[in-house]
Amino acid sequence: MESKFGRGFVIPLVALARHFSLPPEQAFYGAADHLDELIVPVQFAGTQVDALVKQLRKRVIWHQPGTMDREDAEEVKRILRHLLVEVDRSFGIADPQVGTYD
């Protein structure tokens, strides 16, 4: 069956990142749809990556638009940055950094 909002690991994360490049009051609308088919790869089961994906799901799905948009959007972006660093570390990159202009 064709995926409507993206399936896999990287594709849904990129879609979420696009949502959170919008102003906070717009970022959450439709963002949770990209989590429906987000699949954590087997090699990340039980790791920090898995824990961060769980935090990300919780923060996005439980958010009530219009309530604490700015604070929750910043937390989602923080989790996404941390998740990307952990994925790079798992690939053997010794000192991954998101940079100052993320």
Side-chain angles (χ1 to χ4, degrees):
M1 182 167 149
E2 194 70 26
S3 177
K4 191 168 183 179
F5 300 106
R7 180 183 309 120
F9 185 64
V10 173
I11 292 167
L13 291 177
V14 170
L16 278 174
R18 288 190 353 227
H19 273 270
F20 290 94
S21 67
L22 297 170
E25 60 276 3
Q26 297 173 17
F28 285 95
Y29 291 103
D33 293 335
H34 301 291
L35 296 171
D36 288 344
E37 296 186 76
L38 187 149
I39 302 163
V40 177
V42 168
Q43 65 264 36
F44 295 133
T47 68
Q48 183 66 16
V49 169
D50 192 24
L52 288 165
V53 169
K54 287 176 184 167
Q55 286 179 26
L56 185 64
R57 286 182 196 275
K58 184 175 167 181
R59 185 62 70 175
V60 172
I61 292 171
W62 289 5
H63 177 76
Q64 297 296 314
T67 306
M68 294 182 56
D69 289 337
R70 185 168 308 284
E71 295 87 349
D72 286 351
E74 284 304 315
E75 179 65 11
V76 167
K77 289 192 266 187
R78 186 194 67 74
I79 294 168
L80 280 168
R81 287 189 297 266
H82 190 178
L83 180 58
L84 293 173
V85 167
E86 289 302 320
V87 169
D88 269 357
R89 282 192 180 127
S90 75
F91 291 150
I93 297 169
D95 188 22
Q97 299 179 14
V98 294
T100 56
Y101 293 103
D102 65 346

